[in-house]
């Protein structure tokens, strides 16, 4: 894969949560193409077909650690693995997440707590686990280490029957700003920025659309794809690689003066 990139991340180590699928996997592939070594975390067992085939395909610069982002002990294990294998971490992409739709009065306490745990607690725990290591590793490069927290356009604008998801992604946005200012004021060489994707062709989106179909909102998932594309000024959904390019920018020295910012990649959705 190295011939696909410019190798501008040579010498850097990245960790991507939720890295076996969708945007996370696209980020892993882009980082590897740019010369980085990448640690992938996800829920799948290390000996699962997806985990083993993905790591085999990606090559020796990629490795996998099973981790549930809602468990601090899993983050501690991931940190120990990174320390043992690489001794440093320059890029952390808190990408793992889930969705939840439905009228607010229909959401259970368990529904609410689950999405908060994955989408918000996971970002907090991942950041907390790696800040000391990244503060040291960040001294190696211009712009320092980089934390990229994957939020959403739903962290910027509301949508009917998506209130719980809105809440989690808004929390990620503001948490990112808080830590960005904290690190800068303490002269720690870590930048933190949030990514706000629009509608992207991923397994998570496909699952969400299927649930809408099952609930009778549409006859088939393609109808929902067409509807969303029609409401997006650029006229289509994004490919995960397009989000990975934005994440690469935030991870690289090209964004060395950016921290506490929100990078929106949504085909014009929030410009309306």
């Amino acid at each position: 894969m190295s011939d696909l990139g410019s190798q501008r991340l040579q010498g850097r180590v990245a960790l991507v949560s939720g890295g076996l699928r969708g945007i996370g996997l696209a980020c892993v592939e882009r980082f590897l193409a740019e010369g980085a070594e990448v640690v992938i975390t996800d829920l799948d067992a290390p000996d699962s077909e997806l985990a083993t085939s993905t790591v085999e395909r990606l090559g020796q610069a990629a490795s996998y650690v099973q981790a549930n982002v809602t468990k601090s002990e899993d983050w501690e294990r991931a940190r120990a693995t990174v320390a043992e294998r690489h001794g440093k971490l320059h890029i952390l992409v808190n990408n793992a997440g889930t969705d939840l739709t439905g009228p607010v009065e229909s959401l259970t306490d368990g529904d609410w707590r689950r999405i908060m745990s994955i989408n918000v607690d996971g970002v907090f725990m991942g950041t907390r686990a790696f800040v000391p290591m990244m503060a040291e590793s960040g001294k190696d490069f211009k712009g320092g280490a980089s934390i990229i927290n994957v939020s959403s356009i739903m962290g910027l604008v509301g949508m009917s029957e998506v209130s719980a998801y809105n809440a989690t992604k808004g929390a990620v946005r503001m948490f990112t700003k808080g830590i960005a200012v904290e690190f800068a004021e303490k002269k720690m060489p870590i930048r933190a920025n949030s990514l706000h994707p629009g509608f992207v062709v991923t397994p998570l989106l496909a699952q969400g659309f299927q649930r809408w179909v099952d609930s009778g909102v549409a006859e088939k998932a393609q109808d929902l794809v067409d509807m969303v594309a029609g409401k997006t000024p650029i006229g289509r959904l994004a490919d995960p690689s397009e989000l990975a390019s934005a994440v690469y920018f935030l991870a690289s020295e090209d964004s060395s003066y950016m921290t506490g910012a929100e990078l929106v990649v949504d085909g014009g959705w929030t410009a309306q």
Side-chain angles (χ1 to χ4, degrees), residues 141-146 180 184 190-193 249-262:
F141 296 100
K142 178 185 176 182
S146 178
I190 307 174
R191 297 180 296 109
N193 296 286
F249 167 69
L250 292 176
S252 74
E253 292 181 5
D254 287 348
S255 60
S256 59
Y257 197 60
M258 285 181 66
T259 196
E262 51 205 38

Side-chain angles (χ1 to χ4, degrees), residues 199-238:
F199 291 90
V200 188
V201 180
T202 65
L204 184 64
L205 184 71
Q207 292 167 13
F209 279 176
Q210 188 57 51
R211 286 196 298 272
W212 282 112
V213 170
D214 294 341
S215 67
V217 172
E219 289 187 5
K220 57 183 183 297
Q222 188 59 46
D223 293 339
L224 295 172
V225 171
D226 294 341
M227 179 191 71
V228 169
K231 291 184 177 181
T232 302
I234 210 168
R236 62 177 176 83
L237 279 63

Side-chain angles (χ1 to χ4, degrees), residues 15 28 51-52 60 76 82 93 95 104 128 131 154 159 166 172 178 196 212 217 224 249 253 260:
L15 185 145
V28 171
T52 54
Q60 293 184 349
E76 294 303 316
V82 172
V93 183
N95 165 74
V104 66
R128 180 180 63 182
V131 163
M154 297 305 157
M159 177 174 281
N166 283 140
V172 169
H196 297 260
W212 282 112
V217 172
L224 295 172
F249 167 69
E253 292 181 5

